[in-house]
Amino acid sequence: MTTAEMIEDFRGQLEAVVTKLKELDAEINIKKEEYFKLLGAVQALELADKGVPDGAGEETPAVAE
């Protein structure tokens, strides 16, 4: 294999790695967003549950405005 062929092969491998990194980065960002949404939902429910005395497992009634 000549030097030029090796360079071409490595460039192809490099492009494939860059493409894969971009895909993984996008997937990580989606999972981060999902994580923060779920974390916020859990925290909100925990806070709401603290406001209800002896209300373990019971629904919190809606507040009428």
Side-chain angles (χ1 to χ4, degrees):
M1 184 177 263
T2 67
T3 305
E5 291 172 331
M6 288 175 32
I7 290 171
E8 190 62 32
D9 181 48
F10 289 156
R11 283 188 177 150
Q13 290 180 40
L14 182 62
E15 287 178 22
V17 169
V18 169
T19 300
K20 185 65 175 179
L21 282 172
K22 288 179 182 179
E23 291 171 3
L24 292 172
D25 187 48
E27 186 176 341
I28 286 171
N29 287 333
I30 290 168
K31 292 297 180 183
K32 282 181 183 179
E33 184 178 339
E34 183 180 355
Y35 167 80
F36 286 117
K37 285 179 180 179
L38 289 168
L39 180 63
V42 168
Q43 289 175 342
L45 289 171
E46 287 175 342
L47 287 173
D49 195 39
K50 285 181 184 179
V52 180
D54 295 324
E58 296 177 16
E59 288 188 28
T60 304
V63 177
E65 292 185 22

